[in-house]
Amino acid sequence: DAGVIQSPRHEVTEMGQEVTLRCKPISGHNSLFWYRQTMMRGLELLIYFNNNVPIDDSGMPEDRFSAKMPNASFSTLKIQPSEPRDSAVYFCASSFRAGGQNIQYFGAGTRLSVL
Amino acid sequence: KQEVTQIPAALSVPEGENLVLNCSFTDSAIYNLQWFRQDPGKGLTSLLLIQSSQREQTSGRLNASLDKSSGRSTLYIAASQPGDSATYLCAVRPNQAGTALIFGKGTTLSVSS
């Protein structure tokens, strides 16, 4: 398996523009997570899905952020409108949720710069 | 609210040294604890996972211990190598139902040759 695939790897945009980050989880995994990493706050959970259903979105900072998972093999995180303080690395992770270890596998991340 | 702290924030050692990275968490009611490695510009790679009922896990030169009652975990790296240079992150999973992880800010390790 190719692992968790995120695109784009880098995104530079201007304040006010819409940004869409994409994630393809590992085939067979039924949980998907979106995290954001900054120097100040470290890695923080934004939202996660189980079986394509959002379970906890309490980490989504504002209404400007939205996430969807239309099927088991694809998810998007959208920021509209984007602001400079949204600049961070956004990671997607997936896991197989069942009894047991439930290890999360991370993608390489999308580095977002909002000018 | 669960908080995870890692000390030190950065560590520099010469090649061959044995070293210990520390992780502490405020709420001992955890399901498991995971150690990750992050290389610059890359994602996270899981190194070791310890269930709440376990005391330690080993993988090669790495050994992770868990003392749930005191809210502490350590990652022991034996005979460090320059290739071990990376940021090491500790994360706890609060419970089985809530599968999201809560991360520490990491320890950045530099091993010089």
Side-chain angles (χ1 to χ4, degrees):
Chain A
D1 198 313
V4 177
I5 299 173
Q6 291 186 246
S7 64
R9 289 296 313 276
H10 302 276
E11 176 80 31
V12 180
T13 191
E14 292 186 348
M15 182 174 63
Q17 295 297 306
E18 177 181 299
V19 175
T20 299
L21 311 181
R22 298 173 176 79
C23 176
K24 182 180 187 310
I26 292 174
S27 176
H29 282 187
N30 56 5
S31 293
L32 183 139
F33 307 81
W34 282 101
Y35 293 92
R36 180 171 67 176
Q37 187 177 40
T38 61
M39 288 290 291
M40 287 293 293
R41 301 173 68 92
L43 259 169
E44 298 176 295
L45 176 75
L46 297 175
I47 185 172
Y48 79 91
F49 297 83
N50 282 337
N51 296 317
N52 312 337
V53 176
I55 302 300
D56 182 357
D57 64 354
S58 60
M60 297 285 263
E62 299 172 31
D63 290 345
R64 299 184 296 107
F65 285 69
S66 62
K68 293 182 180 180
M69 192 165 185
N71 57 63
S73 60
F74 183 66
S75 177
T76 59
L77 177 68
K78 184 178 293 186
I79 307 173
Q80 164 68 13
S82 58
E83 297 182 2
R85 60 191 168 123
D86 302 331
S87 298
V89 182
Y90 291 80
F91 287 103
C92 175
S94 71
S95 69
F96 179 67
R97 183 172 186 249
Q101 296 195 339
N102 200 267
I103 293 175
Q104 293 186 17
Y105 296 85
F106 282 72
T110 295
R111 183 174 296 275
L112 174 64
S113 297
V114 183
L115 307 177
Chain B
K1 178 185 175 185
Q2 177 74 271
E3 292 184 3
V4 180
T5 303
Q6 291 187 246
I7 295 173
L11 181 63
S12 293
V13 300
E15 182 177 7
E17 272 204 11
N18 302 324
L19 59 100
V20 174
L21 307 181
N22 297 294
C23 172
S24 61
F25 44 96
T26 54
D27 187 344
S28 62
I30 64 170
Y31 186 72
N32 61 37
L33 182 145
Q34 218 168 332
W35 283 93
F36 291 86
R37 169 183 173 140
Q38 185 176 23
D39 292 284
K42 302 287 181 63
L44 279 68
T45 302
S46 180
L47 297 173
L48 290 164
L49 182 147
I50 311 177
Q51 299 289 6
S52 61
S53 58
Q54 297 175 322
R55 298 285 292 181
E56 65 178 340
Q57 283 287 326
T58 297
S59 175
R61 296 182 293 108
L62 305 179
N63 175 276
S65 68
L66 175 64
D67 184 344
K68 202 175 73 163
S69 61
S70 67
R72 293 182 181 182
S73 176
T74 62
L75 179 66
Y76 175 81
I77 302 177
S80 58
Q81 302 171 358
D84 295 330
S85 298
T87 296
Y88 291 82
L89 293 151
C90 165
V92 300
R93 185 176 161 204
N95 53 62
Q96 188 171 9
T99 57
L101 298 174
I102 300 173
F103 283 85
K105 292 188 177 180
T107 295
T108 299
L109 172 65
S110 177
V111 182
S112 56
S113 56

